[in-house]
Structure formats: C-alpha cells, structure tokens
Amino acid sequence: MTLRVLLLGGTGESRLLAARLDADPAYEVISSLAGRTADPALPAGLVRIGGFGGPDGLADWLETQGIGAVVDATHPFAAVMTDSAVTAAERTGLPLLVLRRPGWTEGPGDDWRRVPTLEAAAADLPGERVFLTTGRKHLAAFAGDERRWYLVRSVDPPEPPLPPRMAAVLARGPFTVDEELALMREHAIDVLVTKDSGSAMTAAKLAAARTLGVPVVMVDRPPLPPDVAAAATVEEAAAWLARHAVG
C-alpha cells in the first residue's frame, strides 16, 4: 500500500524530503506551504498552499484526505504550526514526526549574546547600526527604537510596524561570506540580530560577523512540545517514515 504523507514544509529540508518521497512509489507526498512568501520554491510532488484553520481544521483535512503520517518540517520558529500539528495528530491518532535541523553553535572568535525572545533582543542591543535578519513579520519589537539605524533583510518587503530609521534589502539566500562581509562593511554594521534557525543557507553572516568582530544577538528557538518524535536530518526522517510504511 502507498503511504500518504502530509509534509508541512517551507524549509530546505522539507524540499529534500519531498523529492526523496516523490521518487519512491511507496509514498504519496503532499507538501503544505503557508503561503507567506510571494514566490516560494516549490517542492516535488503534490503541493497545497494556505492555512488549515487551526488544529481542528487540520484534523478534519487529515481525515478527509486519507493521510497516514505527518511530518512537520516547518521553520524552527513556526511554533504555532507545530502546536497545531501535534494537536491534530493526537486527535486523529496519526503518527507525527518533527524534522528540525540542529541550531547553530558558537565557536572560537564568536561574540554571541543568547536571548529568549525578540523583545529581549531589542531591549539591550550592543550597537548602533543593526543588521536585522529575523524575518519580515517580526519587527514590531524594534519599531519603538528611534536611536539606532537598522538594515532589514527579507525575501519579501518587511511589514509594519517598522523601526523609523531603517533600510530594507530584499534577497533570498544562500549568501557567501564575501557577500555578507561587503554588505556589513558598506553599511558600517556593528551588531547582528538573528534567530537560531541553524540553516546553512544563511550561516555566512555569522562567519562575516566573526571576521569583523561584530557581536551577534542570537534569539533562541522555541522548545518542541513534550513527547514528540523528532529527527535532525532528512535521512532520519526517511527512516522513520519507512518504519511506518511497512507497519
């Protein structure tokens, strides 16, 4: 029998897993994207775009679509979606796996200050010219800062409320270290604020900050819900699905 898999996506890992499953006749994969990016990179297999209407809507959709397993490979900071997936899987009795790449690790020469939230990051910034790479929808914590200047980078235009003194750079990674060095030097950046996404596509900014001696304010990712199966790699996720496909 073919195992029908809902893959909550939007990350590089989700696209790799979708391609792997789409090439295997043991699976039918449906990737779900939130639809928040204007021109998303589409994965292999079937794709749906848009929300489900909360955990109840997701549970109903899982049942009507004959889904046999759910893999949450959303962004490490997509806590609302993860909570909805956990609740919906519990209500339907479906197996759920959370695929989360490891976070970044501070190394020699790094100057990191870990904080639990964006609000905590905004409360004590060790600089005046801030490179802000936290996404276009999460800038309200910095909107009241009339003193510092912000360079905001996102794929799509940032959404208000915004810092009063800022410039926006619209770009999609991956970025090279040389590109990040040039950008940070051009704008005289003296502090970097980022989320601990752990993505190799956006890690070059950390190497650039190390080279320039720029401190990094690192926002910790939210914890996973308790007692949820988790994998750190696409290979681990594929092995988990293989066990459920034969089970």
Coordinates of all heavy atoms in Angstrom, one line a residue, residues 166-245:
M166 N 15.6 53.0 9.1 CA 16.0 51.7 8.5 C 16.1 51.8 7.0 O 15.6 52.7 6.3 CB 14.9 50.7 8.9 CG 13.5 51.0 8.4 SD 12.5 49.5 8.2 CE 13.1 48.7 6.7
A167 N 16.7 50.7 6.5 CA 16.8 50.5 5.0 C 16.5 49.0 4.9 O 16.8 48.2 5.7 CB 18.1 50.8 4.4
A168 N 15.8 48.6 3.8 CA 15.5 47.2 3.5 C 16.2 46.7 2.3 O 16.5 47.3 1.3 CB 14.0 47.1 3.3
V169 N 16.7 45.4 2.5 CA 17.3 44.7 1.4 C 16.5 43.4 1.1 O 16.3 42.6 2.1 CB 18.8 44.3 1.8 CG1 19.4 43.4 0.7 CG2 19.6 45.5 2.0
L170 N 16.0 43.3 -0.1 CA 15.2 42.1 -0.4 C 16.1 41.1 -1.2 O 16.6 41.4 -2.2 CB 14.0 42.5 -1.3 CG 13.1 43.6 -0.8 CD1 11.9 43.8 -1.7 CD2 12.6 43.2 0.6
A171 N 16.3 40.0 -0.5 CA 17.2 39.0 -1.1 C 16.9 37.6 -0.5 O 16.4 37.5 0.6 CB 18.7 39.3 -0.8
R172 N 17.1 36.6 -1.3 CA 16.9 35.2 -0.9 C 18.3 34.5 -0.9 O 19.0 34.6 -1.9 CB 16.0 34.5 -1.9 CG 15.6 33.1 -1.4 CD 14.9 32.3 -2.6 NE 13.8 33.0 -3.1 CZ 12.5 32.8 -2.7 NH1 12.3 31.9 -1.7 NH2 11.5 33.4 -3.3
G173 N 18.6 33.8 0.2 CA 19.9 33.1 0.3 C 19.9 31.9 -0.6 O 18.9 31.6 -1.3
P174 N 21.0 31.2 -0.7 CA 22.2 31.4 0.2 C 23.1 32.5 -0.2 O 23.1 33.0 -1.3 CB 22.9 30.0 0.0 CG 22.6 29.6 -1.4 CD 21.2 30.1 -1.6
F175 N 23.8 33.0 0.9 CA 24.7 34.1 0.7 C 26.1 33.6 1.0 O 26.3 32.8 1.8 CB 24.4 35.3 1.6 CG 22.9 35.7 1.5 CD1 22.0 35.3 2.5 CD2 22.5 36.5 0.5 CE1 20.7 35.7 2.4 CE2 21.2 36.9 0.4 CZ 20.3 36.5 1.4
T176 N 27.1 34.2 0.3 CA 28.5 33.9 0.6 C 29.1 34.7 1.7 O 28.5 35.8 2.0 CB 29.4 34.0 -0.7 OG1 29.5 35.4 -1.0 CG2 28.8 33.3 -1.9
V177 N 30.2 34.3 2.3 CA 30.8 35.1 3.3 C 31.3 36.4 2.7 O 31.1 37.5 3.4 CB 32.0 34.3 3.9 CG1 32.7 35.2 4.9 CG2 31.5 33.1 4.6
D178 N 31.8 36.4 1.5 CA 32.3 37.6 0.9 C 31.1 38.6 0.7 O 31.3 39.8 0.9 CB 32.9 37.3 -0.4 CG 34.3 36.7 -0.3 OD1 34.9 36.8 0.9 OD2 34.9 36.2 -1.2
E179 N 30.0 38.1 0.3 CA 28.8 39.0 0.1 C 28.3 39.6 1.4 O 28.0 40.8 1.5 CB 27.7 38.2 -0.5 CG 27.9 37.8 -2.0 CD 26.8 36.8 -2.5 OE1 26.2 36.1 -1.7 OE2 26.7 36.8 -3.7
E180 N 28.4 38.8 2.5 CA 28.0 39.3 3.8 C 29.0 40.3 4.3 O 28.6 41.3 4.9 CB 27.8 38.1 4.8 CG 26.7 37.1 4.4 CD 25.3 37.6 4.5 OE1 25.0 38.7 3.9 OE2 24.5 37.0 5.2
L181 N 30.2 40.0 4.1 CA 31.3 41.0 4.5 C 31.1 42.3 3.8 O 31.1 43.4 4.5 CB 32.7 40.4 4.3 CG 33.2 39.4 5.2 CD1 34.4 38.7 4.6 CD2 33.5 39.9 6.6
A182 N 30.8 42.3 2.5 CA 30.7 43.5 1.8 C 29.4 44.3 2.2 O 29.5 45.5 2.4 CB 30.6 43.2 0.3
L183 N 28.4 43.6 2.5 CA 27.1 44.2 2.9 C 27.3 44.9 4.3 O 26.9 46.0 4.5 CB 26.0 43.2 3.0 CG 24.6 43.8 3.3 CD1 24.1 44.7 2.2 CD2 23.6 42.6 3.5
M184 N 27.9 44.2 5.2 CA 28.1 44.7 6.6 C 29.1 45.9 6.6 O 28.9 46.8 7.3 CB 28.5 43.6 7.5 CG 27.4 42.5 7.7 SD 27.9 41.0 8.6 CE 28.0 41.7 10.2
R185 N 30.1 45.8 5.7 CA 31.1 46.9 5.7 C 30.4 48.1 5.0 O 30.6 49.3 5.5 CB 32.3 46.5 4.9 CG 33.2 45.6 5.7 CD 34.3 45.0 4.8 NE 35.3 44.3 5.6 CZ 36.0 43.2 5.1 NH1 35.9 42.8 3.9 NH2 36.9 42.7 5.9
E186 N 29.7 47.9 4.0 CA 29.0 49.0 3.3 C 28.1 49.8 4.2 O 28.1 51.1 4.1 CB 28.2 48.5 2.1 CG 27.4 49.5 1.3 CD 26.5 48.9 0.3 OE1 26.5 47.7 0.1 OE2 25.7 49.7 -0.3
H187 N 27.4 49.1 5.1 CA 26.5 49.8 6.0 C 27.0 50.0 7.4 O 26.3 50.4 8.3 CB 25.2 49.0 6.1 CG 24.5 49.0 4.7 ND1 23.8 50.0 4.2 CD2 24.4 48.0 3.8 CE1 23.3 49.7 3.0 NE2 23.6 48.5 2.8
A188 N 28.3 49.8 7.6 CA 29.0 50.0 8.9 C 28.3 49.3 10.0 O 28.0 49.9 11.1 CB 29.1 51.5 9.2
I189 N 27.9 48.1 9.8 CA 27.1 47.3 10.8 C 28.0 47.0 12.0 O 29.1 46.6 11.9 CB 26.6 46.0 10.2 CG1 25.6 46.3 9.1 CG2 26.0 45.1 11.3 CD1 24.4 47.0 9.5
D190 N 27.4 47.3 13.2 CA 28.2 47.0 14.5 C 27.4 46.0 15.4 O 27.9 45.8 16.5 CB 28.6 48.3 15.2 CG 27.4 49.1 15.6 OD1 26.2 48.7 15.5 OD2 27.6 50.3 16.1
V191 N 26.3 45.5 15.0 CA 25.6 44.4 15.7 C 24.7 43.6 14.7 O 24.0 44.2 13.9 CB 24.9 44.9 16.9 CG1 23.8 45.9 16.5 CG2 24.2 43.8 17.7
L192 N 24.7 42.3 14.9 CA 23.8 41.5 14.1 C 22.8 40.8 15.0 O 23.1 40.3 16.0 CB 24.7 40.4 13.4 CG 23.9 39.2 12.7 CD1 23.1 39.6 11.6 CD2 24.9 38.1 12.3
V193 N 21.5 40.9 14.6 CA 20.5 40.2 15.3 C 19.9 39.1 14.4 O 19.5 39.4 13.2 CB 19.4 41.2 15.7 CG1 18.3 40.4 16.5 CG2 19.9 42.3 16.6
T194 N 19.8 37.9 14.9 CA 19.3 36.8 14.0 C 18.6 35.8 14.9 O 18.8 35.7 16.1 CB 20.4 36.2 13.2 OG1 19.8 35.3 12.2 CG2 21.4 35.4 14.1
K195 N 17.8 34.9 14.3 CA 17.2 33.8 15.0 C 18.1 32.6 14.8 O 18.7 32.4 13.8 CB 15.8 33.5 14.5 CG 14.8 34.6 14.7 CD 13.5 34.2 14.1 CE 12.4 35.2 14.3 NZ 11.1 34.8 13.6
D196 N 18.0 31.7 15.8 CA 18.8 30.4 15.7 C 18.1 29.4 14.8 O 17.7 28.4 15.2 CB 19.1 29.8 17.1 CG 20.1 28.7 17.0 OD1 20.7 28.5 16.0 OD2 20.2 28.0 18.1
S197 N 18.1 29.7 13.5 CA 17.4 28.8 12.5 C 18.3 27.6 12.2 O 17.8 26.6 11.9 CB 17.1 29.6 11.2 OG 18.3 29.9 10.5
G198 N 19.6 27.8 12.3 CA 20.5 26.6 12.0 C 20.7 26.4 10.6 O 21.3 25.4 10.2
S199 N 20.2 27.2 9.7 CA 20.3 27.0 8.3 C 21.7 27.3 7.7 O 22.2 28.3 7.9 CB 19.3 27.8 7.5 OG 19.4 27.7 6.1
A200 N 22.2 26.3 6.9 CA 23.5 26.5 6.2 C 23.3 27.6 5.2 O 24.3 28.3 4.9 CB 23.9 25.2 5.6
M201 N 22.1 27.8 4.6 CA 21.9 28.9 3.6 C 22.2 30.3 4.1 O 22.5 31.2 3.3 CB 20.5 28.8 3.1 CG 20.2 27.5 2.2 SD 18.5 27.5 1.6 CE 18.5 29.0 0.6
T202 N 22.0 30.5 5.4 CA 22.2 31.8 6.0 C 23.3 31.9 7.0 O 23.3 32.9 7.8 CB 20.8 32.3 6.6 OG1 20.4 31.3 7.5 CG2 19.8 32.4 5.5
A203 N 24.1 30.9 7.1 CA 25.2 30.9 8.1 C 26.3 31.8 7.8 O 27.1 32.1 8.7 CB 25.7 29.5 8.4
A204 N 26.5 32.3 6.6 CA 27.6 33.1 6.2 C 27.7 34.4 7.0 O 28.8 34.9 7.2 CB 27.6 33.3 4.7
K205 N 26.5 34.9 7.4 CA 26.5 36.2 8.1 C 27.2 36.0 9.4 O 27.8 37.0 10.0 CB 25.1 36.6 8.3 CG 24.2 35.7 9.1 CD 22.8 36.0 9.1 CE 21.9 35.0 9.7 NZ 20.5 35.2 9.5
L206 N 27.2 34.8 10.0 CA 27.8 34.6 11.3 C 29.3 34.6 11.1 O 30.1 35.1 12.0 CB 27.4 33.2 11.9 CG 25.8 33.1 12.1 CD1 25.5 31.7 12.6 CD2 25.4 34.2 13.1
A207 N 29.8 34.0 10.0 CA 31.2 34.0 9.7 C 31.7 35.4 9.5 O 32.8 35.8 9.9 CB 31.5 33.1 8.5
A208 N 30.9 36.2 8.8 CA 31.2 37.6 8.5 C 31.3 38.4 9.8 O 32.2 39.2 10.0 CB 30.2 38.2 7.5
A209 N 30.4 38.2 10.7 CA 30.4 38.9 12.0 C 31.6 38.5 12.8 O 32.2 39.4 13.4 CB 29.1 38.5 12.8
R210 N 32.0 37.3 12.7 CA 33.2 36.8 13.4 C 34.5 37.5 12.9 O 35.3 38.0 13.6 CB 33.4 35.3 13.3 CG 34.6 34.7 14.0 CD 34.8 33.2 13.7 NE 33.5 32.5 13.8 CZ 32.9 31.8 12.8 NH1 33.5 31.8 11.6 NH2 31.8 31.2 13.0
T211 N 34.5 37.6 11.5 CA 35.7 38.2 10.9 C 35.8 39.7 11.2 O 36.9 40.3 11.5 CB 35.6 38.1 9.4 OG1 35.6 36.7 9.0 CG2 36.7 38.8 8.6
L212 N 34.6 40.4 11.3 CA 34.6 41.8 11.6 C 34.6 42.2 13.1 O 34.6 43.3 13.4 CB 33.4 42.4 10.9 CG 33.3 42.3 9.4 CD1 32.0 42.9 8.9 CD2 34.5 43.1 8.7
G213 N 34.5 41.2 13.9 CA 34.4 41.4 15.4 C 33.1 42.0 15.8 O 33.0 42.7 16.8
V214 N 32.0 41.7 15.0 CA 30.7 42.3 15.3 C 29.9 41.3 16.2 O 29.8 40.1 16.0 CB 29.9 42.4 14.0 CG1 28.4 42.7 14.3 CG2 30.5 43.5 13.2
P215 N 29.4 41.8 17.3 CA 28.6 40.9 18.2 C 27.3 40.5 17.6 O 26.7 41.2 16.8 CB 28.3 41.8 19.5 CG 28.5 43.2 18.9 CD 29.5 43.2 17.9
V216 N 26.9 39.3 18.0 CA 25.7 38.7 17.4 C 24.7 38.5 18.6 O 25.0 37.8 19.6 CB 26.0 37.3 16.8 CG1 24.7 36.6 16.3 CG2 27.0 37.5 15.6
V217 N 23.5 39.0 18.4 CA 22.4 38.7 19.4 C 21.6 37.6 18.7 O 20.9 37.8 17.7 CB 21.5 40.0 19.6 CG1 20.4 39.6 20.5 CG2 22.4 41.1 20.2
M218 N 21.7 36.4 19.4 CA 21.1 35.2 18.9 C 19.8 34.9 19.6 O 19.8 34.6 20.8 CB 22.1 34.1 19.0 CG 21.6 32.7 18.4 SD 21.5 32.7 16.6 CE 23.3 32.8 16.2
V219 N 18.6 34.9 18.9 CA 17.4 34.6 19.6 C 17.2 33.1 19.5 O 17.2 32.4 18.5 CB 16.2 35.2 18.8 CG1 14.9 34.9 19.5 CG2 16.4 36.8 18.7
D220 N 17.0 32.5 20.7 CA 16.9 31.0 20.8 C 15.6 30.6 20.2 O 14.5 31.3 20.3 CB 16.9 30.6 22.3 CG 18.4 30.6 22.9 OD1 19.3 30.4 22.1 OD2 18.5 30.9 24.1
R221 N 15.5 29.4 19.6 CA 14.3 28.8 19.1 C 13.4 28.3 20.2 O 13.8 27.9 21.2 CB 14.6 27.7 18.1 CG 15.5 26.6 18.7 CD 15.7 25.5 17.7 NE 16.5 25.9 16.6 CZ 16.9 25.0 15.6 NH1 16.6 23.7 15.7 NH2 17.6 25.4 14.6
P222 N 12.1 28.3 19.9 CA 11.1 27.8 20.9 C 11.3 26.3 21.1 O 11.7 25.6 20.2 CB 9.8 28.2 20.4 CG 10.0 28.3 18.9 CD 11.4 28.8 18.7
P223 N 11.1 25.8 22.3 CA 11.2 24.3 22.5 C 10.2 23.6 21.8 O 9.0 24.1 21.6 CB 11.1 24.2 24.0 CG 10.3 25.4 24.5 CD 10.7 26.5 23.5
L224 N 10.5 22.3 21.5 CA 9.4 21.4 20.9 C 8.5 21.0 22.0 O 8.8 21.0 23.1 CB 10.1 20.2 20.3 CG 11.0 20.4 19.0 CD1 11.6 19.1 18.6 CD2 10.1 21.0 17.9
P225 N 7.2 20.7 21.6 CA 6.3 20.2 22.5 C 6.8 18.9 23.1 O 7.6 18.2 22.5 CB 5.0 19.9 21.7 CG 5.1 20.8 20.5 CD 6.6 20.9 20.2
P226 N 6.5 18.6 24.4 CA 7.0 17.4 25.0 C 6.5 16.1 24.3 O 5.4 16.1 23.8 CB 6.5 17.5 26.4 CG 5.3 18.4 26.4 CD 5.6 19.3 25.3
D227 N 7.3 15.1 24.4 CA 6.9 13.7 24.0 C 6.5 13.7 22.5 O 5.6 12.9 22.1 CB 5.7 13.2 24.8 CG 6.0 13.2 26.3 OD1 7.1 12.8 26.6 OD2 5.1 13.5 27.1
V228 N 7.2 14.4 21.7 CA 7.0 14.4 20.2 C 8.2 13.8 19.6 O 9.4 14.2 19.9 CB 6.8 15.8 19.7 CG1 6.7 15.8 18.2 CG2 5.5 16.4 20.2
A229 N 8.0 12.9 18.6 CA 9.1 12.3 17.9 C 9.8 13.3 17.0 O 9.1 14.2 16.4 CB 8.6 11.1 17.0
A230 N 11.1 13.3 17.1 CA 11.9 14.4 16.3 C 13.0 13.7 15.6 O 13.6 12.7 16.0 CB 12.4 15.4 17.3
A231 N 13.4 14.4 14.5 CA 14.6 14.0 13.7 C 15.4 15.2 13.3 O 14.8 16.3 13.2 CB 14.1 13.3 12.4
A232 N 16.7 15.1 13.2 CA 17.5 16.2 12.9 C 17.9 16.3 11.5 O 18.4 17.3 11.0 CB 18.8 16.1 13.8
T233 N 17.7 15.2 10.7 CA 18.2 15.1 9.3 C 17.1 14.5 8.4 O 16.2 13.8 8.9 CB 19.5 14.3 9.2 OG1 19.2 12.9 9.5 CG2 20.6 14.8 10.1
V234 N 17.2 14.7 7.2 CA 16.3 14.1 6.2 C 16.4 12.6 6.2 O 15.4 11.9 6.1 CB 16.6 14.7 4.8 CG1 15.8 13.9 3.7 CG2 16.3 16.2 4.7
E235 N 17.6 12.1 6.4 CA 17.8 10.7 6.4 C 17.1 10.0 7.6 O 16.5 9.0 7.5 CB 19.3 10.4 6.5 CG 20.1 10.6 5.3 CD 20.3 12.1 5.0 OE1 20.2 12.9 5.9 OE2 20.5 12.5 3.8
E236 N 17.2 10.7 8.8 CA 16.4 10.2 9.9 C 14.9 10.2 9.7 O 14.2 9.3 10.1 CB 16.8 11.0 11.2 CG 18.2 10.9 11.7 CD 18.5 11.8 12.8 OE1 17.6 12.4 13.4 OE2 19.7 11.9 13.2
A237 N 14.4 11.3 9.1 CA 13.0 11.4 8.8 C 12.6 10.3 7.8 O 11.5 9.7 7.9 CB 12.7 12.8 8.2
A238 N 13.4 10.0 6.8 CA 13.1 9.0 5.8 C 13.0 7.6 6.5 O 12.2 6.8 6.1 CB 14.1 9.0 4.7
A239 N 14.0 7.4 7.4 CA 14.0 6.1 8.1 C 12.7 5.9 9.0 O 12.1 4.8 9.1 CB 15.2 6.0 8.9
W240 N 12.3 7.0 9.6 CA 11.1 7.0 10.4 C 9.8 6.7 9.6 O 9.0 5.8 9.9 CB 10.9 8.3 11.1 CG 9.7 8.5 12.0 CD1 9.6 8.1 13.3 CD2 8.4 9.0 11.6 NE1 8.3 8.4 13.8 CE2 7.6 8.9 12.8 CE3 7.9 9.5 10.5 CZ2 6.3 9.4 12.8 CZ3 6.6 9.9 10.4 CH2 5.8 9.9 11.6
L241 N 9.8 7.3 8.4 CA 8.7 7.0 7.5 C 8.7 5.6 7.0 O 7.6 5.0 6.8 CB 8.7 8.0 6.3 CG 8.2 9.4 6.7 CD1 8.5 10.4 5.5 CD2 6.7 9.4 6.9
A242 N 9.9 5.1 6.7 CA 10.0 3.7 6.2 C 9.4 2.7 7.2 O 8.7 1.7 6.9 CB 11.4 3.4 5.9
R243 N 9.6 3.0 8.5 CA 9.1 2.1 9.5 C 7.6 2.2 9.5 O 6.9 1.1 9.7 CB 9.6 2.5 10.9 CG 11.1 2.2 11.1 CD 11.6 2.3 12.5 NE 11.5 3.6 13.0 CZ 12.4 4.5 13.0 NH1 13.6 4.3 12.3 NH2 12.3 5.8 13.5
H244 N 7.0 3.3 9.3 CA 5.5 3.4 9.3 C 4.9 2.9 8.0 O 3.8 2.5 8.0 CB 5.1 4.9 9.6 CG 5.4 5.3 11.0 ND1 4.5 5.0 12.0 CD2 6.4 6.0 11.6 CE1 4.9 5.5 13.1 NE2 6.1 6.1 12.9
A245 N 5.7 3.0 6.9 CA 5.2 2.5 5.6 C 5.0 1.0 5.7 O 4.1 0.4 5.1 CB 6.2 2.9 4.5

